[in-house]
Amino acid sequence: MAALGGADGQARYVGGWVRDALAGTPPGDLDIATALPPAEVIARAEAAGLSVWSSASGLQHGTVGVVIGGKGVEVTTLRRDVTTDGRRATIAFTDDWREDAARRDFTINALSANPVTGAVHDYFGGLADLAAGRVRFIGDARARIAEDHLRILRFFRFHARFGRGLPDAEAYAACTARANDLMALSRERIADELMKLLGGARPAGAIRAMIEGGVLRPVLPEIDADGAARLEALIAAEDAAGIAGDAVRRLAALLPPDAARADLIAARLKLSNAVRKRLGAALAMDAEARPRILAYRLGSGGATDRLLLAGRAADAAALSGWTPPRLPVSGGDLVARGLDAGPVVARALREVETLWLDEDFPDAARARAIADQVAGRIKLER
């Protein structure tokens, strides 16, 4: 850091890393801001023997990648917004730390720290807000949302993570008033932010506040109070089972309990095929199936999704650490017992499997005995 201006106050840790460290949660990626222009950052880093990477787009926005202590770190020159249109900003470089901090969305995200002394710089009351469990926009909330519409969803995600009690009144009013702005965003960005929120530790309260304020209605009108109740029930089941929360499973709870309808919504959000397939499997509910049979048919993950969505926390917990075995009998084994290859063997194998599942996955010796029984009976019927 000394080579990049840390020793003389020209470089600081910024943003989420500082916020998380102060909140006592494991910090994520380290970001560094500097008053130095990108060309000087590159020159200083190379002179210090540090590996550097950059791209034309990154340099245009003032960002240079530097390997520090074996880890890649983004070093970004201080910036100010010239123009914004709700989706992106045109920027210019500056040497004013307060001006750069003012570009950030919330007071708790505008903190910066000297890497040498550890001194924290707080221009907008972020330390007090962090201590109070309050997520607050910097300046006028509606104006900040107009600059970047995604901040509506980010507000609720950060409130779920750091907030305590009701959302900040001014911020909440601005988000509800400008909810239609979300229609200007790509569905991919909306989905990404929603999944980040659902993957957090406490998303239910924020989701309910969004629904009550009509925030999601312009882009996801299918998500309603019933979905919020299902999400709350699912999180209670996850907690009771001691199973970590999962964003895809929670999305399944939030969406209408209809696999075909949920798939249409997932397609609109441009979720991956793997996620869409998992949502469909989770919502094709079979509340009566035995847990191990569900795991055998769907895999342990799919069974866990279905069981937790059905409120069967104890059954889901019982699957933890259990791997479904494979049927120890093959079609070839039945041919060896005198059955004709083809439909007869296929039918016999299904019958063997059903009996084996009914007996709760007995060992190979018992499976072979079941195969003897089924093959013998079919030969007698011919």
Side-chain angles (χ1 to χ4, degrees), residues 8-381:
D8 54 10
Q10 294 193 82
R12 298 178 189 171
Y13 301 144
V14 293
W17 192 92
V18 179
R19 176 203 65 218
D20 292 351
L22 291 170
T25 61
D29 293 336
L30 176 63
D31 289 315
I32 295 171
T34 178
L36 303 174
E40 188 169 349
V41 172
I42 293 172
R44 287 194 180 200
E46 290 178 342
L50 300 175
S51 297
V52 175
W53 78 94
S54 60
S55 66
S57 175
L59 290 175
Q60 182 182 355
H61 291 87
T63 299
V64 176
V66 181
V67 178
I68 301 175
K71 293 184 177 180
V73 176
E74 290 189 343
V75 181
T76 302
T77 300
L78 300 179
R79 299 174 291 185
R80 61 182 177 85
D81 288 339
V82 177
T83 61
T84 59
D85 65 3
R87 290 175 294 177
R88 61 185 68 84
T90 302
I91 60 97
F93 299 137
T94 181
D95 59 2
D96 186 327
W97 285 95
R98 192 181 193 282
E99 191 173 32
D100 180 85
R103 296 182 68 249
R104 301 179 186 273
D105 45 13
F106 311 118
T107 62
I108 62 174
N109 291 342
L111 302 168
S112 59
N114 186 298
V116 177
T117 66
V120 176
H121 301 268
D122 178 15
Y123 301 102
F124 305 106
L127 287 171
D129 286 341
L130 193 62
R134 180 172 53 240
V135 180
R136 188 167 55 87
F137 282 99
I138 296 171
D140 180 75
R142 294 195 186 200
R144 304 319 306 274
I145 291 170
E147 294 168 356
D148 182 353
H149 306 323
L150 193 66
R151 286 172 172 166
I152 295 172
L153 300 182
R154 283 174 58 82
F155 169 74
F156 290 99
R157 175 162 66 89
F158 280 97
H159 175 71
R161 184 176 175 192
F162 296 102
R164 295 196 295 275
L166 295 175
D168 175 74
E170 180 190 351
Y172 186 67
C175 289
T176 58
R178 299 204 62 115
N180 284 340
D181 290 354
L182 293 174
M183 297 173 70
L185 297 174
S186 72
R187 294 304 179 261
E188 293 96 331
R189 295 186 74 194
I190 292 171
D192 181 64
E193 198 63 35
L194 180 61
M195 296 302 276
K196 287 178 181 177
L197 167 57
L198 290 174
R202 300 180 294 119
I207 290 290
R208 186 168 283 282
M210 294 168 81
I211 292 169
E212 291 174 352
V215 172
L216 291 173
R217 192 176 301 125
V219 290
L220 289 168
E222 300 89 350
I223 294 179
D224 56 17
D226 289 342
R230 289 191 299 270
L231 175 63
E232 290 161 0
L234 169 65
I235 292 173
E238 289 174 339
D239 291 343
I243 293 173
D246 180 272
V248 176
R249 184 190 306 129
R250 291 173 174 181
L251 179 61
L254 200 55
L255 295 179
D258 178 304
R261 194 172 171 206
D263 187 64
L264 292 175
I265 299 169
R268 190 197 316 153
L269 292 173
K270 298 188 177 179
L271 299 176
S272 70
N273 288 336
V275 169
R276 290 173 62 179
K277 182 177 179 180
R278 183 176 167 196
L279 287 172
L283 292 172
M285 296 297 293
D286 182 355
E288 302 302 320
R290 284 159 40 197
R292 289 193 175 195
I293 292 178
L294 270 180
Y296 177 77
R297 300 293 190 196
L298 301 174
S300 295
T304 297
D305 287 347
R306 282 203 192 178
L307 292 168
L308 289 174
L309 286 165
R312 296 170 59 183
D315 287 339
L319 287 179
S320 180
W322 183 76
T323 300
R326 295 182 63 181
L327 177 65
V329 174
S330 68
D333 294 327
L334 293 171
V335 170
R337 285 167 169 76
L339 298 185
D340 296 331
V344 172
V345 164
R347 177 170 63 86
L349 192 60
R350 287 194 298 271
E351 186 175 340
V352 170
E353 182 183 56
T354 297
L355 293 169
W356 180 69
L357 293 175
D358 285 345
E359 293 187 17
D360 198 25
F361 308 92
D363 62 18
R366 176 56 188 155
R368 288 192 293 270
I370 293 173
D372 290 339
Q373 171 189 335
V374 170
R377 180 179 55 75
I378 291 176
K379 284 190 291 184
L380 286 175
E381 291 174 352

